[in-house]
Amino acid sequence: MTSPQPRIGVLRFPGTCDDRDALWALAALDAEAIFVWHTETRLPDLDAVVLPGGFSYGDYLRCGAIARFAPALEAVAAFAAEGGLVLGICNGFQILCEAGLLPGVLRRNESLSFVCRDVPLVVERTDTPFTSRCDEGERLTIPVKHGEGCWFADDALYDELEANRQIVLRYAEPVNGSRNDVAGVVNERGNVMGLMPHPEHAVDPLLGSADGALILSSLVEAARDRALAAV
Amino acid sequence: MKATVLVRPKHGILDPQGQAVETSLRQLGFAVGEARVGRVVDLEVESNDPAGARAEVERMCEQLLANPLIESYEIELAETPGD
C-alpha cells in the first residue's frame, strides 16, 4: 500500500494573501492541499488546517480580532479540540491568539516599522508535529513580513509557557520586540502552533532558503500519520 | 443611549505609538512627560436602562473591543438627546 496523501485545508478570509503560496508549498511537499472559505460552518474531511498570512477583514480593530468570529474558525476550534493539527502563519498566528487557541497576543512592532527580511531562528523543541524534521538548537533562515509581530505575554503567562515548554521557535536576533525573542508557540496539548515567519515562502533554495520546508514537511508527515491512523 | 468606550494600553505595557507621539511633541517644542495612545469607540446602544446598557457594553469590551492581555477599558454612558 502506498502512503496516502494527507489532506490539508488552507483557510481563506477576505484579505488573506499568502493562501496560494501555502497551497503550492504543501502540494510540493506531497500533501493534497485544498482551500476552505471563511464562511464554511463545517470543515471538509481534513488531516490538518493551515491559517495563512494576510490581513483578514482588513485587520480592523486589532489584527485577527474580527476573523476569530468567522464561521470557519469555530469549525477550526472544534477540529483543534479533537486533537486536529492546526498551523497559523503570521496573520493566522494573530487570529489563533485572538481566538484563545494560542497563548499571548501579537502587537505593533516595537520599531513601528514593517519588517520584511530573512531572519535567523532557533528551534527550541523538536517533539512537536510542526518541528519533528528539525534538530534541537538548529538554526533556520525563514523570512518575516509583518507590522504586528511583537508577541507579548505577561510575567505569569510567560513563566507558565516556559514551564510547559510551549516556546518552539525564537529569533536569533531582535526582530520586532517580541518578548524573549519568541517567534513561535504551541498550545499546551501541542497540536496547535503559530509562528510569525513564513515557512511557505522558504521551500526552495531559489527563494533564498528551503528551511521553511522543514516546518511544513513536519506538518505533512504528522498529518499523514493521522490519516493512516484513521484508516 | 450613547456609550463611549476608551481602550488604553495597560499600565506598564510598552506603547511604541505613544513613544513616537511623545518624541514628536517634544520636537515641536512642547514640554510633555509621557504620551500613550489608545482608541475611542462610540456606540449607540438600544437599551435605555443605564445599568443594563453598561453591562452590555462591558460584555462587548470583554469579547471584542479590548484584548484583556494588553488593554484596559473605561465606559462612559450618556442619554441620547430626545430619549
Side-chain angles (χ1 to χ4, degrees):
Chain A
M1 188 181 142
T2 56
S3 62
Q5 264 195 329
R7 209 159 184 237
I8 302 184
V10 176
L11 230 62
R12 301 177 108 172
F13 299 91
T16 299
C17 59
D18 298 324
D19 42 343
R20 284 166 189 274
D21 283 33
L23 196 88
W24 186 91
L26 290 165
L29 295 167
D30 203 25
E32 180 197 353
I34 58 168
F35 287 128
V36 177
W37 188 234
H38 68 118
T39 54
E40 298 292 331
T41 50
R42 289 183 54 192
L43 297 178
D45 195 14
L46 296 174
D47 302 306
V49 175
V50 171
L51 279 72
F55 301 87
S56 54
Y57 300 99
D59 270 349
Y60 294 141
L61 196 64
R62 296 179 306 277
C63 47
I66 310 285
R68 76 172 254 231
F69 295 104
L73 212 76
E74 240 174 79
V76 169
F79 180 77
E82 286 167 15
L85 302 171
V86 180
L87 177 66
I89 302 166
C90 195
N91 193 222
F93 185 15
Q94 296 164 341
I95 295 168
L96 292 172
C97 284
E98 279 284 340
L101 292 173
L102 285 175
V105 57
L106 282 312
R107 307 184 63 216
R108 185 79 77 90
N109 293 346
E110 202 174 84
S111 63
L112 295 179
S113 301
F114 194 91
V115 186
C116 183
R117 63 180 169 92
D118 285 341
V119 297
L121 299 162
V122 180
V123 180
E124 297 276 310
R125 240 184 105 169
T126 57
D127 59 339
T128 80
F130 313 94
T131 51
S132 60
R133 295 228 168 155
C134 306
D135 294 321
E136 204 164 307
E138 186 175 354
R139 278 198 170 222
L140 307 178
T141 301
I142 298 181
V144 295
K145 46 170 186 141
H146 59 244
E148 288 165 287
C150 174
W151 182 84
F152 174 81
D154 61 24
D155 291 347
L157 178 60
Y158 185 80
D159 291 347
E160 186 189 320
L161 299 178
E162 277 280 10
N164 293 340
R165 300 178 59 241
Q166 284 177 251
I167 316 290
V168 178
L169 292 173
R170 279 186 218 273
Y171 303 110
E173 63 187 34
V175 169
N176 51 27
S178 275
R179 173 149 204 184
N180 295 66
D181 296 316
V182 168
V185 298
V186 282
N187 63 345
E188 198 173 351
R189 188 169 173 181
N191 63 315
V192 180
M193 175 168 166
L195 75 168
M196 286 313 294
H198 287 268
E200 79 282 16
H201 295 334
V203 291
D204 190 291
L206 269 179
L207 298 169
S209 166
D211 290 351
L214 292 170
I215 307 266
L216 294 179
S217 61
S218 298
L219 173 65
V220 170
E221 191 173 72
R224 181 177 289 122
D225 288 347
R226 283 184 69 85
L228 277 169
V231 169
Chain B
M1 301 200 80
K2 280 187 184 297
T4 300
V5 179
L6 253 107
V7 182
R8 295 191 167 94
K10 265 189 182 170
H11 184 71
I13 295 258
L14 181 72
D15 175 21
Q17 253 188 113
Q19 287 177 343
V21 169
E22 184 187 315
T23 308
S24 301
L25 287 174
R26 287 217 187 107
Q27 281 169 358
L28 287 169
F30 293 104
V32 287
E34 195 187 19
R36 292 177 74 79
V37 174
R39 174 188 323 123
V40 172
V41 184
D42 285 325
L43 298 163
E44 273 193 38
V45 200
E46 289 202 355
S47 165
N48 280 323
D49 158 42
R54 181 171 293 275
E56 190 161 62
V57 176
E58 257 170 36
R59 286 206 304 279
M60 294 180 199
C61 290
E62 297 291 335
Q63 287 176 37
L64 178 66
L65 299 180
N67 184 324
L69 276 177
I70 46 169
E71 293 167 331
S72 62
Y73 60 84
E74 259 174 51
I75 300 167
E76 285 167 22
L77 288 174
E79 300 227 342
T80 315
D83 268 359

